[in-house]
Amino acid sequence: MSELHKFIFEGLPVRGMLVRLTGAWTELLARRGAERAHPAPVRTLLGEMAAAGVLMQASIRFNGALVLQISGDGPVKLAVAEVQPDLAFRATATVVGEVPAGARLEALVNVGGRGHCAITLDPKDRFPGQQPYQGVVPLHGDRREPLQLLSEVLEHYMLQSEQLDTKLVLAANDDVAAGLLIQRLPVEGEGNLGARNEDEIGLNEAYNRIAHLSATLTREELLTLDADTLLRRLFWEETVRRFEPLAGEHGPRFACSCSRERVARMLRGLGREEFDGLIAERGLAEVGCEFCGAQYHFDAVDGGEVFTAPRDQPPASRAVQ
């Protein structure tokens, strides 16, 4: 069962989270089917993005969708993971070229150095005129060196956007997508100003010690060890207080927000002329969801309903009482 574990280190300004996506992750992969499966390096990237998205959504507790996007000029044009406030997630990628075996981030999306990572926070209930917030970082470090790991990119993003030290360890295969997040908590109490938090960057001894321990976690350990074993091995000298894990209907799970109504709105956006052209050419307008693989079909009769304004549609029939 997919689960999210939250914990703190007693007496220290450090918190952590561990996510393991199992059934939810394999369900996402299965929806594409073998014939539409992404190459292995792309599946790994998407799994790491899904795990990271769940960790980030859980850390900020945002009432809206968190959308993590990686795009660039490599064979992977775009990779997206979306996580809702209830930790329901979905992910997909657009692949436009041949993906080398074992390719890492640079070879996937940053071949020419123009790749970037965008994190969008889209409020669930927007105020009039309110726009989603988006932060963007390049896929290279401070010395312009290409970053090879998604975790490095997101650590850089968190340092820039929140001025907080963050350590991320991510891994994914076809069975599990997992991630460990360690973060220095903001300074609390009287006189808690942003400058004090910024002055702590890279200098807090407790955080640095725990981040160093986290960095020793191997990919194999992250993918295979249960939460109890993993946390005990890493932090056996620390006093760790764990909270009740989030699992099942309250934890991370695969879910897609596509619907026939949303597809109909998309078709209206294309316009009646283009829709009629599809019907004339193929007899049907077929739209597939890239996230879950659901197929939606619209024929000429459906088109009449799609492009008829609600006020012009006949009233729904009612049963005689």
Side-chain angles (χ1 to χ4, degrees):
M1 179 183 294
S2 299
E3 55 192 15
L4 175 72
H5 299 262
K6 297 183 178 183
F7 52 94
I8 60 173
F9 295 84
E10 291 283 11
L12 303 177
V14 186
R15 67 173 177 178
M17 279 184 277
L18 173 68
V19 65
R20 286 180 55 81
L21 307 176
T22 52
W25 172 238
T26 56
E27 180 183 355
L28 185 151
L29 293 180
R31 290 295 188 99
R32 291 196 65 86
E35 69 283 353
R36 298 175 60 243
H38 291 305
V42 180
R43 299 197 299 273
T44 297
L45 175 61
L46 286 177
E48 292 183 356
M49 290 176 67
V54 170
L55 289 170
M56 295 178 75
Q57 175 68 279
S59 69
I60 63 176
R61 295 186 292 244
F62 176 66
N63 186 29
L66 182 147
V67 183
L68 172 59
Q69 293 178 293
I70 302 289
S71 59
D73 51 9
V76 178
K77 182 178 181 181
L78 176 69
V80 182
E82 177 188 280
V83 186
Q84 298 296 328
D86 62 356
L87 302 184
F89 71 90
R90 59 181 189 167
T92 190
T94 302
V95 181
V96 297
E98 184 175 352
V99 176
R104 296 197 293 174
L105 198 58
E106 181 184 13
L108 289 173
V109 293
N110 200 29
V111 174
R114 294 190 293 272
H116 65 270
C117 169
I119 297 177
T120 304
L121 301 178
D122 190 1
K124 190 173 183 180
D125 300 310
R126 292 192 204 175
F127 300 112
Q130 185 181 15
Q131 297 297 317
Y133 165 80
Q134 185 176 78
V136 181
V137 292
L139 302 184
H140 58 71
D142 294 334
R143 296 182 299 276
R144 304 291 299 180
E145 74 281 11
L147 299 179
Q148 302 293 353
L149 301 176
L150 174 66
S151 57
E152 296 173 337
V153 175
L154 296 178
E155 287 170 1
H156 187 52
Y157 171 86
M158 294 300 292
L159 197 60
Q160 284 193 342
S161 66
E162 303 296 331
Q163 289 80 51
L164 290 177
D165 297 296
T166 301
K167 181 63 184 176
L168 267 172
V169 186
L170 301 168
N173 58 23
D174 285 352
D175 299 313
V176 183
L180 172 70
L181 179 146
I182 299 295
Q183 193 167 63
R184 177 178 60 82
L185 291 169
V187 176
E188 295 182 353
E190 186 177 355
N192 177 21
L193 300 177
R196 288 186 60 194
N197 289 326
E198 292 177 8
D199 289 344
E200 281 283 299
I201 292 175
L203 300 178
N204 187 278
E205 292 183 6
Y207 168 80
N208 288 341
R209 181 180 71 252
I210 293 169
H212 177 74
L213 292 172
S214 302
T216 67
L217 180 63
T218 67
R219 179 178 186 273
E220 188 67 19
E221 288 172 332
L222 184 55
L223 290 174
T224 59
L225 296 180
D226 62 83
D228 292 338
T229 303
L230 189 152
L231 295 177
R232 187 169 58 250
R233 282 193 185 183
L234 282 179
F235 309 122
W236 63 276
E237 290 187 305
E238 308 292 338
T239 303
V240 178
R241 178 154 63 99
R242 295 171 58 184
F243 302 97
E244 190 70 23
L246 299 176
E249 62 180 10
H250 301 295
R253 61 201 182 282
F254 170 75
C256 190
S257 57
C258 72
S259 67
R260 188 173 179 84
E261 290 73 23
R262 295 183 70 170
V263 174
R265 289 199 296 270
M266 183 271 292
L267 291 174
R268 280 195 292 271
L270 289 177
R272 184 63 187 258
E273 184 177 347
E274 186 164 344
F275 177 86
D276 289 343
L278 289 172
I279 297 298
E281 179 183 349
R282 305 176 186 176
L284 278 176
E286 299 178 274
V287 180
C289 177
E290 285 297 316
F291 287 96
C292 70
Q295 297 293 317
Y296 297 93
H297 302 91
F298 293 79
D299 58 19
V301 174
D302 296 323
E305 297 178 356
V306 168
F307 291 97
T308 299
R311 64 179 179 274
D312 297 330
Q313 292 181 356
S317 60
R318 298 181 180 178
V320 177
Q321 300 297 320

